[in-house]
């Protein structure tokens, strides 16, 4: 599986409704040890939202300092982001993630320090 | 740092790879994840170079890059250059390795391109001013 297979994938709930698409893949460094690297990164979950415009620029999900106007714009665009844990994923197929949760059960992704 | 969390597209994609001697060794174009029998997938390799970038770009431009990569690649079944996650020393603003770049597959592709293409261009042996 490749990271790029997951990015921008559509995310569908049990009723077939689209929750959004994958903006990012959150990793946590508690996977099996590999070579000299120690614990590798395990897939913890997905940052899912509507429009991905600005998502990769990171203005809304990091402590990057941005001009005030851009900050306000991207904060609004990313306000609907939700975090979908890997444990909620039932299947991945042809650019789509099928999850067993609905939007009201999801929370915003936890902000990470840079 | 065990337990550290990062967002892969934001913090890893397109980051510079730097070897143990501080030499540049390509960029992170994709990540390979292994899906175990039970539990979540985990990162096992960085994919770098035109073989992986073509897929990200997609469309005609991606297909063109892929075809150029296949023609330039020395092996019969070229795939993206892979850097095992086991040689990653640190992930920060860039990705630092614990090995020299000349042991990496990325570097072999680069060397082949230099030996078979770049060196044949007239004037390529002249040092820049």
């Amino acid at each position: 599986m490749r990271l790029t297979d997951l990015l921008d994938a559509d995310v569908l709930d049990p009723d077939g409704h689209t929750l959004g698409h994958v903006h990012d893949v959150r990793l946590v460094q508690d996977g099996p040890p590999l070579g000299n690297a120690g614990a590798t990164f395990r897939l913890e979950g997905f940052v899912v939202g509507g429009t991905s415009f600005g998502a990769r620029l990171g203005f809304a999900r990091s402590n990057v300092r941005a001009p005030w106007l851009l900050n306000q714009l991207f904060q609004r665009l990313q306000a609907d982001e939700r975090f979908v844990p890997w444990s909620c994923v039932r299947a991945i197929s042809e650019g789509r993630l099928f999850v067993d949760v609905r939007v009201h059960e999801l929370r915003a992704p936890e902000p990470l320090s840079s | 740092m065990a337990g550290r969390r990062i967002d892969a597209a934001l913090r890893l994609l397109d980051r510079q790879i730097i070897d143990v001697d501080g030499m540049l060794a390509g960029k992170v174009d994709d990540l390979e994840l292994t899906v175990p029998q039970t539990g979540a997938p985990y990162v096992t390799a960085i994919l770098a170079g035109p073989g992986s970038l073509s897929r990200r770009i997609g469309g005609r431009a991606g297909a063109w890059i892929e075809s150029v990569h296949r023609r330039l690649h020395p092996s019969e079944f070229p795939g993206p250059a892979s850097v095992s996650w086991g040689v990653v020393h640190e992930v920060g603003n860039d990705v630092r390795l614990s090995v020299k770049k000349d042991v990496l597959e990325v570097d072999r592709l680069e060397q082949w391109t230099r030996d078979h293409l770049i060196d044949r261009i007239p004037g390529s042996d002249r040092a820049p001013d």
Side-chain angles (χ1 to χ4, degrees):
Chain A
M1 176 191 297
R2 294 191 189 178
L3 173 67
T4 52
D5 292 336
L6 302 171
L7 294 176
D8 294 325
D10 293 327
V11 182
L12 285 82
D13 73 5
D15 302 319
H17 298 137
T18 302
L19 297 181
H21 45 270
V22 177
H23 287 183
D24 214 329
V25 174
R26 185 153 289 184
L27 306 174
V28 57
Q29 197 168 11
D30 65 0
L34 284 181
N36 300 323
T40 184
F41 282 92
R42 176 181 60 83
L43 197 162
E44 185 178 42
F46 302 91
V47 177
V48 175
T51 176
S52 61
F53 176 67
R56 304 268 176 85
L57 299 177
F59 286 122
R61 274 192 289 120
S62 72
N63 60 359
V64 172
R65 290 173 57 194
W68 179 85
L69 188 59
L70 284 180
N71 217 18
Q72 296 304 305
L73 171 64
F74 290 127
Q75 292 280 359
R76 284 172 186 264
L77 290 176
Q78 307 309 327
D80 65 345
E81 278 191 340
R82 294 292 179 268
F83 180 72
V84 178
W86 169 256
S87 57
C88 295
V89 174
R90 285 298 156 253
I92 300 175
S93 173
E94 298 177 353
R96 290 185 293 179
L97 259 66
F98 298 90
V99 301
D100 62 6
V101 289
R102 294 173 177 80
V103 65
H104 63 272
E105 298 173 83
L106 299 171
R107 288 195 261 183
E110 181 188 327
L112 301 179
S113 54
S114 59
Chain B
M1 184 189 344
R4 178 186 175 195
R5 286 178 167 76
I6 57 173
D7 288 337
L10 190 60
R11 296 295 180 197
L12 283 174
L13 277 189
D14 300 322
R15 295 290 170 149
Q16 182 68 57
I17 303 170
I18 299 177
D19 80 351
V20 68
D21 293 331
M23 303 292 287
L24 303 184
K27 289 200 173 178
V28 179
D29 292 317
D30 206 342
L31 295 178
E32 186 176 83
L33 294 99
T34 293
V35 184
Q37 294 274 16
T38 56
Y42 51 88
V43 178
T44 46
I46 293 170
L47 302 178
S52 49
L53 191 57
S54 58
R55 198 164 140 168
R56 273 180 73 190
I57 291 174
R60 286 188 183 179
W64 180 79
I65 293 171
E66 174 71 21
S67 87
V68 170
H69 167 70
R70 286 181 178 276
R71 289 179 190 180
L72 294 181
H73 200 286
S75 101
E76 187 180 352
F77 301 105
S82 172
V83 179
S84 168
W85 192 264
V87 301
V88 171
H89 172 66
E90 183 184 348
V91 173
N93 290 328
D94 43 46
V95 177
R96 303 226 165 214
L97 307 181
S98 58
V99 297
K100 294 176 182 287
K101 70 174 280 191
D102 55 13
V103 305
L104 300 175
E105 187 180 349
V106 174
D107 192 64
R108 288 196 288 277
L109 271 175
E110 192 178 299
Q111 284 179 2
W112 189 94
T113 305
R114 187 171 56 239
D115 294 342
H116 292 81
L117 267 184
I118 308 302
D119 283 351
R120 297 182 181 183
I121 298 173
S124 63
D125 57 341
R126 278 196 299 238
D129 295 336

